[in-house]
Amino acid sequence: MPNPADPYEGDDLDDLPPPQPVHYAEQALLGALLLEPHRLKTIAHLEPHHFGNHAHGTLFTALLSVPAPDPKQHAKDIAWLNAVLTKAQPEAPGLTASYLHTLIQVCPRPEHAAAYASMIRADHARRTVREHANRLCQIATDATLPNPAVTVLGQADALSLYLDELSTQFAPHPGSLPRTPLPSAPPRETAEEALDEERLLLSTATTHPNEVKAMRWLQPSDFTHPLHAGLWQCLVAMTRRDTPVDPVTVLWEAQHRGLLSAGAEPSELLDLLAGPVGSPESWGERILQRSVLQIAHHIARRIEAFTKDPATTPYQLVVGSRRALADLSAVRTRWQHATSPAPESRPARTSATAAPRAGPPRTTAPPAARISR
């Protein structure tokens, strides 16, 4: 049986989920404005696109565009209601005169219009944050992007800017952290391509250990395989101590760190550390980029979980999402260090290269001379 409070009365609604609470807030607000159009002055910062229901947003647009009627005349006839309906129907053909009267009937208290509008803005904020999080998820897993790390960090910045905007619209309150159970971190990617890149990094770094000192931006947590992370720690420690580095010395360091007890054979490690290709920096950047994308994907899933929890208030959504994005700051800084060009070293200025003075220094007349004038 069709829902008498739905603008599309002729549609088959059997397969649709039940309306969410915001649906009734939208109906209550529109009913209040249809009954008492002067309530539009009490609504701040509400836009048609804030409505989740397309027909409701179209009707609100018509309410804004049709001049408000004289209150006494509005109480006597439905001319203004017909004008609003005529304005809205081209964009929302399912709207009917009976539905407008239904909206008026289901509105509990027209004087609560501002509260209904606040509920609509809150739900729109939740949907928009979810859209940002979904986009962040998609970018983090899109293998076709030419520069995925830069793109994903740009999307994180866009989400952060929107959260800053929301923070000024909703008042803080106690219990500002969401209580939503967080999704568990996904296991590290173990694709053969990622493992190959880590092996190539270790072999090239063993051949060019001096370049390891400049790669502090790469951390063991960026590696997908525990053995590879351990070998990277060996290389970093050895270069800091300025000890000789080659496959045999790295194997000895790995033995002292207990890496051989994990089942790795010495000959396997020697093979892994042989055959360098390329440069350590290029392989390290690829490994770090994978880490950036995986962290961003996990953060997006956390924020998405906040938006799907109906108990999360708008302020909790802002605080929780900001805290989640803060986890991206450290890896963002490391990525910037890895990809920023090295600063050019300028030669110290000498007497030969110093710029000549424009002229002799000016002398200042003594006070007595100035007074004598």
Side-chain angles (χ1 to χ4, degrees), residues 46-96:
L46 186 67
E47 302 292 338
H49 67 272
H50 292 167
F51 288 77
N53 183 293
H54 170 73
H56 290 170
T58 301
L59 183 57
F60 184 71
T61 300
L63 286 167
L64 295 174
S65 58
V66 177
D70 177 75
K72 294 182 179 179
Q73 187 65 30
H74 183 54
K76 295 179 181 179
D77 57 47
I78 59 172
W80 183 76
L81 295 179
N82 290 335
V84 170
L85 180 61
T86 301
K87 183 72 174 179
Q89 276 185 328
E91 295 295 329
L95 286 172
T96 62

Side-chain angles (χ1 to χ4, degrees), residues 207-278:
T207 304
H208 306 285
N210 289 335
E211 299 185 24
V212 175
K213 297 179 181 180
M215 296 176 61
R216 295 183 179 180
W217 39 263
L218 190 64
Q219 300 293 327
S221 58
D222 298 322
F223 288 78
T224 63
H225 197 290
L227 175 62
H228 298 168
L231 289 173
W232 178 249
Q233 288 179 305
C234 293
L235 286 165
V236 170
M238 295 174 71
T239 54
R240 288 178 179 175
R241 298 198 307 262
D242 287 327
T243 56
V245 176
D246 62 41
V248 174
T249 59
V250 174
L251 175 63
W252 191 253
E253 181 78 13
Q255 175 180 265
H256 289 166
R257 290 176 175 266
L259 298 182
L260 300 184
S261 62
E265 296 293 338
S267 60
E268 294 175 351
L269 291 187
L270 290 175
D271 291 341
L272 186 152
L273 298 174
V277 177

